[in-house]
Amino acid sequence: MWTTVFVSGITLGSFYTLVALGFALIFGVTHTFNLAHGELIVLAGYVAYWLWKTYGVSFLFTFPAAVLVALTVCLLLQRLFSRLKEPLELNSIVMSFGVAILLQNGMLFFFSGDYRLIRVPTFNQGLHFKTLYLSYGQLTLLALSLVVIGLLYLLMRHTYLGKALRATIQDREAAALAGINVSGMGLLAFAIGAILIGLAGPLYGSVHYLYPAAGLQATLLAITITIFSGVGRIRGLILGGWILGFAESGAVVLLGASWRELVGAVMLITLLALRPQGILEREK
Amino acid sequence: MQTKGTTRQQAIQQQIAWAAPTLGLVLLLLLPAFARYNDYVLQVFTHALLLATLALAWNILGVSGSISLGHAAFFGAGAYTSALLSLDLGISPWATIPLGGVLAAGIAAIMGLFCLRLRGAYFALATLAFVEIPKVITDNWDGLTRGSLGLVGLPGLPSLQLGSYHFDLSASLVGSYYFVLAYGLVLLGLVTFVFRSNLGLALQAIREEEVAAEAVGIQVQRYRLLSLLLSAFFSGITGACYGHLIRYLEPGLVYGLHFSAIPMIFAICGGRFTILGPALAALVLYPVDQFIFHPLLPAGHEFLYGAVIILAILFMPSGVWGQVRKAHFVSIKTGSVE
């Protein structure tokens, strides 16, 4: 039983890290909270579902379309976010809450309120290693999440662009003084965030049911993992994702599936209560 | 010249500030006479009034500068408490509705324990997450709450017997309408009293400059807790009334994002630093949603609320009524100079 918890904890946790990456990057660079993050992931999931269901596009080929849609919406959103006035964090929360409502109602209009799932037939088969069982669905989720996280890690750590992004996350004024185009970095963060959202969307649609209001759960877990790790730490995000993944899998086994939603919420409130000054203050 | 122009504009705004609410109140009082043969119109305005009370209650906390994204926790707790007490123990709704408010305030006390140390964005995020706790508990405690099946057949509001007059509050739409209107007016009076009392002044001082407020001796955390408790108490009462009017509850419905979003949106669009703004926004926006956008777009008509809050935060952060009342505040300040 505990090997099941371990396997699902690691796969879910890695996927949660992928879900949180875009949110953490946008927040770190622009200091705005995007509460519509989960809705964007669900939207990307719907795009994949729609292509897969109506045109029979194979699961892997839905990713480019999902990324394209996420990119378009996120770049429009970036225009809105760049107009916000101080206090940036609070105003971005209120505005993106409005964006979330807009997106939910748009999805309700185009895709109706029915629950949808991308059912890839091979995902239910799997590999047995003695007591350990790994389905192809879990394997895909784990592999794709880790590859994307690894690529982002390489981008942030080993390229000049990544260095500029990290500098902006650490200190915006000093970065600007060093000649980094800070507002350009904000645009870039939204673009990279959108690619991450577009990649997370179809995966989300293959493990969770898609419905217009499903985004809140994804948003909450992105916030939880981001607050856990602090900004600008990909390794911290992986740790946060795994802890949340293990905690949720453990709660499902011990208490039942219906208590799963509580885990992320309790973890977020506890983290906030322990670190009341927020996560940006600590950096300074 | 410019001063004269400004004063004329101020005078006009002063007149709007009196005329609009007076006209609104007269129209609200007479509405059942116009809408006697149109049940739908009465239902929409009854619900608009109920949402107005929720927005007024939200704003008791809002005036201190805190933005809550979790008032559904109080709304749902009030609705479930009153519904279960009246349904299972047969207690009259007149007694269970205030108890709904008390339990909501109790939940607010727990929320305050964890969230009141937080400010601004982090307070908002914590309240957003907090709603999940009463929601999941209500959803899973089948023995008490019947879980996700929800509650059906709640008792309606009992009739009122005053002398020879007999007010039927639940069977007749007109009765329900006047009941919610009366509750709204009482709450408006209370909110006006709170805003103008020392508590209200302290909350506004905390909003403007918390450090300075603390320096002049305002016990910041005590006042913030008090405003949270009051706000939750009345949100719980509104939730309880909602239950007895709709006579059907479900965890996903009363603890849903809708009842957290709606009061925040109405308060900010109307003007969260004003007394009337949140209620006026509810009375305008909800009927616009129901009469114009719902027939056009049966699925997705609530995009309206998303659109108005985005526009408000970008172009009118002090809200529509806040804009009208701004002249009032400016005239107080410059009055002594002229």
Side-chain angles (χ1 to χ4, degrees):
Chain A
M1 181 180 80
W2 290 106
T3 52
T4 322
V5 173
F6 180 77
V7 169
S8 79
I10 288 280
T11 45
L12 263 189
S14 307
F15 175 60
Y16 287 173
T17 306
L18 175 63
V19 167
L21 272 181
F23 182 88
L25 185 68
I26 292 173
F27 174 66
V29 175
T30 66
H31 293 191
T32 52
F33 283 105
N34 179 16
L35 286 196
H37 184 75
E39 274 71 19
L40 288 167
I41 289 177
V42 173
L43 176 68
Y46 267 124
V47 170
Y49 174 84
W50 177 67
L51 285 174
W52 168 78
K53 187 84 184 172
T54 44
Y55 298 105
V57 178
S58 91
F59 181 61
L60 280 181
F61 288 103
T62 60
F63 283 91
V67 169
L68 210 62
V69 170
L71 209 53
T72 315
V73 180
C74 275
L75 292 180
L76 288 174
L77 271 188
Q78 196 271 339
R79 301 309 310 147
L80 282 182
F81 275 91
S82 65
R83 284 165 180 269
L84 282 173
K85 298 174 202 75
E86 291 289 335
L88 219 49
E89 292 181 3
L90 189 59
N91 281 345
S92 65
I93 283 184
V94 175
M95 192 188 74
S96 58
F97 201 64
V99 173
I101 295 174
L102 264 185
L103 287 173
Q104 279 182 17
N105 282 281
M107 292 189 283
L108 191 63
F109 180 76
F110 285 108
F111 303 107
S112 90
D114 298 344
Y115 282 50
R116 320 255 191 206
L117 189 67
I118 305 174
R119 287 177 210 279
V120 185
T122 50
F123 275 16
N124 287 329
Q125 300 157 6
L127 306 167
H128 285 278
F129 306 101
K130 291 180 182 165
T131 56
L132 196 135
Y133 174 72
L134 199 63
S135 75
Y136 288 130
Q138 285 176 315
L139 207 60
T140 314
L141 199 63
L142 185 65
L144 273 175
S145 304
L146 290 180
V147 165
V148 175
I149 295 165
L151 286 176
L152 190 76
Y153 186 79
L154 288 179
L155 174 80
M156 295 296 277
R157 282 282 157 181
H158 296 286
T159 66
Y160 190 70
L161 203 63
K163 214 174 195 175
L165 277 171
R166 278 188 296 134
T168 315
I169 291 172
Q170 277 163 18
D171 192 329
R172 295 216 285 181
E173 279 165 29
L177 283 174
I180 294 169
N181 178 355
V182 170
S183 62
M185 287 298 129
L187 187 62
L188 190 66
F190 266 91
I192 299 175
I195 295 172
L196 295 166
I197 287 168
L199 293 173
L203 286 175
Y204 187 93
S206 71
V207 282
H208 285 288
Y209 278 100
L210 295 166
Y211 54 96
L216 181 64
Q217 281 299 320
T219 307
L220 276 179
L221 66 91
I223 299 171
T224 312
I225 296 170
T226 304
I227 302 246
F228 172 83
S229 72
V231 288
R233 293 190 185 83
I234 293 183
R235 278 169 294 184
L237 289 173
I238 296 176
L239 186 63
W242 283 353
I243 291 179
L244 191 59
F246 279 125
E248 286 201 348
S249 314
V252 169
V253 169
L254 292 175
L255 300 168
S258 50
W259 293 91
R260 190 181 57 85
E261 291 171 21
L262 205 57
V263 176
V266 169
M267 197 167 146
L268 177 56
I269 293 169
T270 317
L271 284 171
L272 285 169
L274 290 176
R275 207 185 279 176
Q277 72 278 23
I279 48 179
L280 288 175
E281 294 293 319
R282 210 183 58 145
E283 303 293 314
K284 288 169 186 164
Chain B
M1 278 298 281
Q2 206 183 348
T3 357
K4 205 172 180 185
T6 342
T7 42
R8 178 170 297 157
Q9 197 196 342
Q10 282 172 12
I12 292 170
Q13 288 184 334
Q14 197 80 16
Q15 281 161 359
I16 294 175
W18 278 107
T22 317
L23 186 69
L25 180 61
V26 171
L27 285 177
L28 283 177
L29 284 170
L30 295 178
L31 183 81
F34 300 130
R36 178 163 286 164
Y37 302 107
N38 194 335
D39 290 353
Y40 181 56
V41 172
L42 259 184
Q43 273 170 343
V44 166
F45 274 94
T46 307
H47 197 63
L49 280 168
L50 205 65
L51 294 177
T53 63
L54 188 60
L56 281 172
W58 185 93
N59 207 33
I60 300 177
L61 178 67
V63 77
S64 74
S66 296
I67 287 183
S68 155
L69 299 177
H71 263 54
F74 313 136
F75 185 89
Y80 258 93
T81 308
S82 182
L84 286 172
L85 286 175
S86 61
L87 203 59
D88 289 350
L89 301 180
I91 303 172
S92 154
W94 293 131
T96 62
I97 289 174
L99 288 175
V102 171
L103 190 88
I107 285 183
I110 300 172
M111 187 202 254
L113 213 59
F114 293 99
C115 302
L116 275 182
R117 299 167 65 200
L118 305 167
R119 299 287 184 279
Y122 298 95
F123 178 82
L125 292 179
T127 54
L128 180 68
F130 188 87
V131 190
E132 298 292 311
I133 297 173
K135 179 185 176 180
V136 172
I137 291 175
T138 309
D139 222 348
N140 285 292
W141 198 347
D142 291 346
L144 181 72
T145 63
R146 276 149 245 177
S148 49
L149 289 176
L151 299 172
V152 282
L154 306 195
L157 297 164
S159 342
L160 270 184
Q161 198 79 37
L162 283 180
S164 57
Y165 289 99
H166 177 80
F167 297 97
D168 191 345
L169 296 185
S170 51
S172 110
L173 288 172
V174 178
S176 307
Y177 174 84
Y178 276 119
F179 168 72
V180 180
L181 181 59
Y183 167 48
L185 290 175
V186 169
L187 184 59
L188 183 64
L190 280 168
V191 168
T192 310
F193 173 74
V194 166
F195 274 38
R196 297 196 173 158
S197 68
N198 283 342
L199 170 62
L201 291 175
L203 292 176
Q204 291 169 56
I206 292 168
R207 178 187 81 216
E208 294 300 327
E209 186 58 67
E210 189 176 316
V211 179
E214 196 146 26
V216 297
I218 294 172
Q219 286 168 302
V220 172
Q221 290 304 61
R222 222 175 97 184
Y223 281 111
R224 288 183 75 210
L225 178 63
L226 197 55
S227 75
L228 177 64
L229 293 181
L230 276 175
S231 179
F233 178 75
F234 289 111
S235 303
I237 289 191
T238 297
C241 293
Y242 173 84
H244 291 291
L245 288 170
I246 304 286
R247 304 172 81 167
Y248 164 74
L249 293 180
E250 197 192 321
L253 178 74
V254 286
Y255 287 113
L257 201 57
H258 182 75
F259 287 111
S260 290
I262 281 289
M264 185 273 281
I265 290 168
F266 288 159
I268 291 180
C269 292
R272 66 193 170 106
F273 305 148
T274 64
I275 295 170
L276 273 175
L280 289 175
L283 291 171
V284 172
L285 287 173
Y286 184 73
V288 165
D289 166 33
Q290 290 296 307
F291 294 135
I292 299 175
F293 288 97
H294 191 265
L296 288 175
L297 279 174
H301 59 98
E302 287 190 350
F303 85 94
L304 171 73
Y305 299 119
V308 291
I309 190 68
I310 295 172
L311 291 176
I313 211 78
L314 287 177
F315 300 111
M316 209 180 263
S318 59
V320 176
W321 195 245
Q323 211 65 27
V324 173
R325 297 296 285 163
K326 204 172 246 172
H328 167 70
F329 296 120
V330 171
S331 70
I332 293 172
K333 279 184 185 159
T334 55
S336 58
V337 182
E338 279 171 14

